[in-house]
Amino acid sequence: MPVDNRAFDFLRVNDRPDKPRENGITEIRGPYYDPMGPRELRDILETMGHYVDIYKFSGGSFALMPEDAVTELIETCHEFDVEVSTGGFIEHVLVADNAHVEDYVAEAGELGFDIVEISSGFLAIDVDDVVALTELVVDHGLKAKPEINVQFGAGGASSEEELLEETQQDPALAIEEGKRHLDAGAYKLMVEAEGITENVTDWRTDVAYQIATELGLENCVFEAPGPEMFEWYIKNFGPNVNMFIDNSQIVECECLRSGLWGKKSTWGRVTSYDSGA
């Protein structure tokens, strides 16, 4: 559904599901590369909020901020029907504050977070334990979004050289873990870019296809931290693929999804069909 009172509304844009969306989700990064205060966030959402579904705190940034600043950001997102994710900080809590994992999940709910991401890219941990975290989050009435990956060390901005020192994991194991998370009530699965399209010599697009096919495209949110990556996902999976991007790229990404703009290989080719028209 197009945004209300869209400028130049006589120009065609691709059909996009209305919120709350199950497909075509765009998750953007919140405080991490910049502080992202409430005025910057409001500017983004007042102009592009119709196209933003999830706002993700990264790197445990909320643990550095005054509580009222965190709740103001969360409340601003909710004003624009945007859900708020903790990001994968539970990975740190597991190591540094293991006895407080449930406290962490409980406080996320009390502060107004909607989604708890469960990452484990740096951890040697049993799948049973990670699935138990999904169950814990669901039991607290929050949406669990576990991360699956094929690269040990994923999720921490490690260099390509550092990741090459680690062996890649069998995609079949990530897929099996993903199925267990979905059976445990996971909302979506976060598919890390490292080892697939980020910090690799050659993109493992075969892994992206395998994950999408076996876990269901609708169940996956693909990390696409760069225009060349989200262009590839849109070109190969269509304009309503679920993706996580940097907040600075929301306009470029949505122009591509909508069919308004493109590059050499996508110009005029990204489209949709509304069978009810």
Side-chain angles (χ1 to χ4, degrees), residues 134 146 177-189 215-216 219:
T134 290
E177 180 181 338
K179 290 177 179 177
R180 290 191 59 187
H181 283 300
L182 291 172
D183 288 343
Y187 156 64
K188 299 286 183 188
L189 301 169
L215 290 174
N219 293 320

Side-chain angles (χ1 to χ4, degrees), residues 48-245:
M48 297 296 291
H50 182 75
Y51 311 106
V52 177
D53 301 277
I54 303 172
Y55 177 79
K56 170 179 173 175
F57 284 80
S58 295
S61 52
F62 44 70
L64 299 174
M65 301 165 62
E67 184 176 301
D68 57 355
V70 175
T71 55
E72 183 177 1
L73 289 170
I74 292 171
E75 289 167 1
T76 301
C77 286
H78 289 167
E79 181 182 337
F80 291 88
D81 298 320
V82 173
E83 296 190 302
V84 184
S85 170
T86 61
F89 190 64
I90 200 168
E91 191 166 3
H92 168 81
V93 180
L94 279 165
V95 173
D97 297 283
N98 193 279
H100 292 288
V101 170
E102 187 163 359
D103 295 333
Y104 167 75
V105 174
E107 179 148 344
E110 292 166 3
L111 290 174
F113 283 90
D114 306 283
I115 299 167
V116 175
E117 185 175 313
I118 301 164
S119 64
S120 57
F122 280 103
L123 301 181
I125 186 170
D126 290 340
V127 173
D128 288 349
D129 290 351
V130 184
V131 173
L133 292 173
T134 290
E135 294 170 343
L136 173 66
V137 170
V138 172
D139 286 345
H140 277 264
L142 298 169
K143 293 182 176 180
K145 187 154 77 66
E147 166 195 296
I148 59 171
N149 57 72
V150 296
Q151 174 69 63
F152 190 86
S158 302
S159 68
E160 181 176 344
E161 291 74 19
E162 289 172 319
L163 292 181
L164 284 172
E165 294 176 0
E166 305 285 353
T167 57
Q168 283 200 354
Q169 299 163 355
D170 187 342
L173 296 177
I175 289 167
E176 182 58 33
E177 180 181 338
K179 290 177 179 177
R180 290 191 59 187
H181 283 300
L182 291 172
D183 288 343
Y187 156 64
K188 299 286 183 188
L189 301 169
M190 186 73 185
V191 182
E192 281 288 338
E194 285 97 339
I196 300 178
T197 59
E198 185 178 15
N199 290 339
V200 288
T201 303
D202 298 306
W203 283 13
R204 293 292 312 278
T205 55
D206 58 316
V207 173
Y209 282 120
Q210 188 178 355
I211 289 172
T213 299
E214 298 197 34
L215 290 174
L217 191 60
E218 71 282 2
N219 293 320
C220 299
V221 177
F222 293 95
E223 183 184 19
E228 72 285 356
M229 298 181 205
F230 60 69
E231 182 187 32
W232 184 88
Y233 279 109
I234 290 170
K235 184 167 62 176
N236 288 278
F237 293 144
N240 285 315
V241 60
N242 302 321
M243 294 185 295
F244 168 55
I245 64 173

